[in-house]
Amino acid sequence: MSLTNFHMFHRNDLIVIVLYALTMLSVSCEKDPEPLTTNSVITGYVYLDDPDFESPTGFEVVASGPYGQKSASISNDQFVITGLGNGNYYLDYSRDNYGSVRQYGIQLFGNDTAHAEYVQLYKKPSPNFVMPEFIRASVVDNEGYESRKIIRIETNYSTYETYWPVRLFMHVSKEVSCSEYMESYPTMANYVNELYIEPSWLHFSSGTEVFVIGYSCNPRDNGYLDTYKNELIFSTLDKNKHSNVVSFIMP
Amino acid sequence: MKIRKIRSGVWAICLAFGFMGCSNEQTFLPDLEGNMVGYVLTCDEFADPLDDHGGVLVSTFGAAHIAQIHTDARGRFEFRNLPAGTYDLFFEKSGFGNMKQIGIQHLGGKPTILGLSFNGSNQGSFRLYQLPTTQITQLSLENDTLSGEFDFAGDQPNNLTLMMFLSDESDFVTGEAKKIVTRYMAMTNGVYQGRMYAGDLPFQPGEIVYYRAAVVVGDGIFFSSNNIAFIEPDTYINYNTGRIIYPNLGNESDQFSYVSPE
């Protein structure tokens, strides 16, 4: 038997098992932190951006902090989470068929009531919505009473709705996506199969080729700031449901 | 014999490890830890944001904990597992005015986020400004109007802000100025001009008033009528001296003078 072989050395020996057991025992002796105070409260309001006027209930708010998670009790649009220990928390807001939101930076010192900044939840587009194919983008004369250029995207979609569940992302790179973009706007439909963008909204230099892609997203969802990552989050956006990329020359 | 010694050693280590694991059971808790996350915006000398906010050294000073880290290109910094407590933060980068933020309460648990809010505001984020390179070549004060001429290293801005130091003594030290005011100068008909009312200044009619100025970068340092400063994020107080620190001041101009109007 070679002593350099660990398995052979401990053959028929309980020492490895004992070593493992003691290691587990020592880890299990560590205690979770215990709060200095346990009577703090987080309260706030949730608003539903609901075109169907559903009841402003049914949402869930969960506080995550140093001692685990705790759910809110909810009355109408107000939530209250009681019995919280001191420390920093974040809140997760969710509701069926609505985009979820995370809100960082709730501080509880003890014996206090923290009021969370109000949150609005937006309804996700219908799962039946099929992302239209973008046929081409071009700069055309607006046919309205005011003579000006607009950017038109022709699609294979057909609807009489003014607001499509589509958000556009633009970049000077053809690798544009919802995570790599320079500008983003919800869309408005001009005709049954066309989207348009106001050039005055955009900050690209004249003559620049701008690539554009559309993602399924509630057009009223303007995003919230994930303050931990410093990223704008569109909670109703479906990363897997997007159009092809087309481009136009900035007028 | 050798094998027995090795086994004994392993047993001893196991037992010691087991006891050590339980030895903290009576430790007073909580002593929470958590991450502290913030953002620094670097700006040019005219307060316009730069593209790259990296390379800012951020130092955090707590009662028993000091840590340092550099920002990434987005200006983000994150101190990990910082013990709960009250901290001062100090920001510095070569060629930029420094900045200090005091009394940051860090509770531990989930991250403490500094300077950004859920609704997208970055009003409380930290800003560092490139030190001014603009030289003041001429300043005149007449009929409540301050007019200036400048040498700019780069493009001529539409406006800039001056910090004015005024005294009734010639060759005064700016730290002993009788009055310090900031004045916004805007380009008007090819000349930089700002308002400065003689009636707001603590000088007698007919008195000779000496003044110097320096370009100051930032969004504003405001003084009330009784000369109390409202501290904006581009200044901080040195608590050892009780003085306001203006980290973004350019070079002082030569001394100019005028006669306080009747």
Side-chain angles (χ1 to χ4, degrees):
Chain A
M1 182 184 76
S2 168
L3 287 181
T4 58
N5 187 319
F6 189 80
H7 296 92
M8 293 300 290
F9 176 60
H10 290 294
R11 187 182 56 174
N12 301 325
D13 197 333
L14 286 175
I15 194 161
V16 175
I17 298 170
V18 171
L19 180 63
Y20 177 77
L22 283 175
T23 304
M24 290 298 103
L25 178 65
S26 67
V27 171
S28 68
C29 290
E30 289 182 7
K31 295 181 71 177
D32 286 336
E34 291 180 4
L36 275 176
T37 59
T38 57
N39 57 355
S40 288
V41 174
I42 301 175
T43 185
Y45 290 89
V46 182
Y47 300 102
L48 298 181
D49 179 75
D50 181 13
D52 302 325
F53 301 105
E54 291 180 21
S55 168
T57 57
F59 56 85
E60 186 178 23
V61 183
V62 177
S64 298
Y67 322 105
Q69 294 186 323
K70 197 163 188 183
S71 296
S73 60
I74 294 165
S75 173
N76 291 324
D77 51 1
Q78 185 178 16
F79 71 88
V80 179
I81 310 173
T82 58
L84 295 170
N86 57 295
N88 278 339
Y89 287 77
Y90 62 73
L91 300 177
D92 286 308
Y93 301 78
S94 59
R95 190 184 193 275
D96 283 348
N97 301 322
Y98 280 72
S100 298
V101 166
R102 176 169 288 183
Q103 186 179 42
Y104 284 94
I106 312 291
Q107 292 190 316
L108 297 180
F109 292 86
N111 306 315
D112 52 354
T113 297
H115 294 267
E117 204 170 341
Y118 89 88
V119 165
Q120 188 150 19
L121 298 182
Y122 293 91
K123 198 166 193 173
K124 290 179 179 175
S126 165
N128 299 324
F129 172 68
V130 177
M131 192 69 204
E133 180 187 343
F134 286 4
I135 297 170
R136 71 180 66 83
S138 53
V139 179
V140 297
D141 289 320
N142 185 35
E143 295 177 359
Y145 69 94
E146 188 183 357
S147 176
R148 68 184 199 283
K149 301 285 186 188
I150 59 168
I151 299 157
R152 181 179 66 185
I153 300 174
E154 297 168 64
T155 78
N156 67 347
Y157 196 46
S158 182
T159 178
Y160 288 99
E161 293 174 10
T162 304
Y163 294 96
W164 298 8
V166 174
R167 174 169 277 273
L168 300 176
F169 294 84
M170 284 160 273
H171 202 292
V172 294
S173 163
K174 62 176 66 172
E175 303 302 320
V176 60
S177 71
C178 63
S179 54
E180 288 292 334
Y181 65 94
M182 297 170 73
E183 301 202 29
S184 174
Y185 292 98
T187 56
M188 280 186 282
N190 213 15
Y191 295 102
V192 290
N193 64 340
E194 292 177 1
L195 297 169
Y196 70 88
I197 315 167
E198 283 285 345
S200 60
W201 297 348
L202 307 178
H203 300 91
F204 298 101
S205 302
S206 179
T208 306
E209 184 173 15
V210 178
F211 296 87
V212 57
I213 187 172
Y215 282 80
S216 170
C217 184
N218 184 326
R220 286 203 290 265
D221 175 7
N222 285 315
Y224 73 93
L225 189 66
D226 179 322
T227 53
Y228 183 72
K229 298 176 183 170
N230 195 16
E231 287 178 4
L232 193 61
I233 305 292
F234 299 102
S235 64
T236 62
L237 184 141
D238 185 344
K239 289 183 178 178
N240 298 316
K241 194 179 280 189
H242 60 81
S243 72
N244 52 312
V245 176
V246 290
S247 69
F248 61 88
I249 303 298
M250 185 69 188
Chain B
M1 193 63 181
K2 194 175 179 182
I3 296 173
R4 188 171 292 173
K5 278 185 179 177
I6 292 172
R7 287 188 174 177
S8 299
V10 171
W11 272 108
I13 291 170
C14 290
L15 287 172
F17 191 59
F19 284 124
M20 283 169 61
C22 294
S23 63
N24 288 332
E25 194 170 2
Q26 299 303 317
T27 302
F28 179 72
L29 295 170
D31 49 353
L32 291 178
E33 294 180 345
N35 297 359
M36 180 187 284
V37 180
Y39 296 86
V40 184
L41 293 176
T42 52
C43 303
D44 67 17
E45 66 173 297
F46 304 112
D48 293 321
L50 300 171
D51 292 333
D52 185 351
H53 306 299
V56 177
L57 179 64
V58 186
S59 306
T60 179
F61 300 93
H65 195 91
I66 298 174
Q68 289 188 314
I69 199 167
H70 283 95
T71 57
D72 65 18
R74 297 191 308 140
R76 187 178 190 273
F77 64 89
E78 180 168 11
F79 292 107
R80 295 188 177 275
N81 303 320
L82 211 57
T86 302
Y87 287 85
D88 293 345
L89 289 179
F90 191 72
F91 306 89
E92 54 191 319
K93 181 176 182 178
S94 178
F96 290 74
N98 55 36
M99 183 47 55
K100 189 174 188 179
Q101 179 86 17
I102 62 164
I104 292 171
Q105 292 164 324
H106 172 61
L107 300 186
K110 296 304 176 188
T112 296
I113 312 279
L114 306 174
L116 290 181
S117 84
F118 174 77
N119 63 19
S121 166
N122 65 356
Q123 209 165 23
S125 60
F126 308 106
R127 291 170 188 263
L128 291 192
Y129 300 95
Q130 278 178 337
L131 290 170
T133 56
T134 301
Q135 299 296 319
I136 303 167
T137 55
Q138 178 62 39
L139 271 182
S140 62
L141 187 52
E142 193 173 359
N143 298 330
D144 293 335
T145 299
L146 183 66
S147 303
E149 296 174 13
F150 306 92
D151 274 345
F152 298 104
D155 293 338
Q156 190 169 279
N158 292 326
N159 51 63
L160 51 87
T161 305
L162 294 184
M163 179 165 285
M164 301 282 297
F165 305 92
L166 301 105
S167 176
D168 50 9
E169 293 184 15
S170 181
D171 299 325
F172 66 101
V173 179
T174 51
E176 296 173 358
K178 194 170 183 178
K179 182 78 174 177
I180 302 174
V181 293
T182 53
R183 283 295 174 266
Y184 180 78
M185 305 283 285
M187 174 72 86
T188 308
N189 299 324
V191 180
Y192 287 96
Q193 291 185 323
R195 305 299 290 174
M196 194 144 99
Y197 297 104
D200 294 341
L201 301 176
F203 301 103
Q204 300 300 317
E207 193 174 11
I208 298 176
V209 179
Y210 302 92
Y211 58 93
R212 291 195 203 94
V215 175
V216 62
V217 188
D219 290 329
I221 307 159
F222 303 99
F223 286 79
S224 67
S225 57
N226 52 357
N227 209 25
I228 294 175
F230 295 93
I231 309 302
E232 290 295 300
D234 46 8
T235 64
Y236 60 89
I237 290 179
N238 181 334
Y239 280 91
N240 294 323
T241 63
R243 288 185 175 276
I244 301 168
I245 303 298
Y246 303 99
N248 308 309
L249 272 181
N251 293 331
E252 285 177 20
S253 70
D254 293 337
Q255 179 178 281
F256 305 96
S257 66
Y258 83 112
V259 178
S260 187
E262 298 291 336

